[in-house]
Amino acid sequence: FWGTISPLIENLANLDTLDISSNGFMSSLPVEIGNINLTQILVDSNDFTGSLPGSIGNLVSLEELDVSSNGFSGTIPSEI
C-alpha cells in the first residue's frame, strides 16, 4: 500500500493496533492519531517525514511505538 494516512483515522474509535509496517506510506503522521486509544503504533519501514506528533503522548495505553526506517526528523516530543 502507499499514500497518506487521512486525519479521519480518528473515526476508528475501536482500533487497538495500527500496523502499517513495510508499505509506501508517506507524508507525516496526522495529529489525529493521538485521538484513538491505541496500544500499538507500528509504522516502521515506510516513507514518513516530518516530526512525530506530540498528540501521541495522549495515548496512555500505548505499549509499543515503532517508527524506525522512516524519514522522521527532529527530536522525540516530550509529550511522548
Side-chain angles (χ1 to χ4, degrees), residues 9-32:
I9 192 169
E10 72 179 337
N11 293 334
L12 301 174
N14 293 322
L15 188 66
D16 178 66
T17 298
L18 176 64
D19 185 353
I20 54 171
S21 303
S22 302
N23 285 285
F25 287 99
M26 60 189 107
S27 190
S28 58
L29 289 176
V31 173
E32 291 82 3

Side-chain angles (χ1 to χ4, degrees), residues 61-72:
S61 298
L62 188 65
E63 297 173 3
E64 185 175 3
L65 174 63
D66 188 348
V67 296
S68 62
S69 300
N70 280 286
F72 289 113

Side-chain angles (χ1 to χ4, degrees), residues 2 11 14-15 18 24 35 41 49-50 52 56 65 70 73 80:
W2 55 272
N11 293 334
N14 293 322
L15 188 66
L18 176 64
N35 298 336
I41 299 176
T49 58
L52 293 173
I56 292 176
L65 174 63
N70 280 286
S73 58
I80 297 175

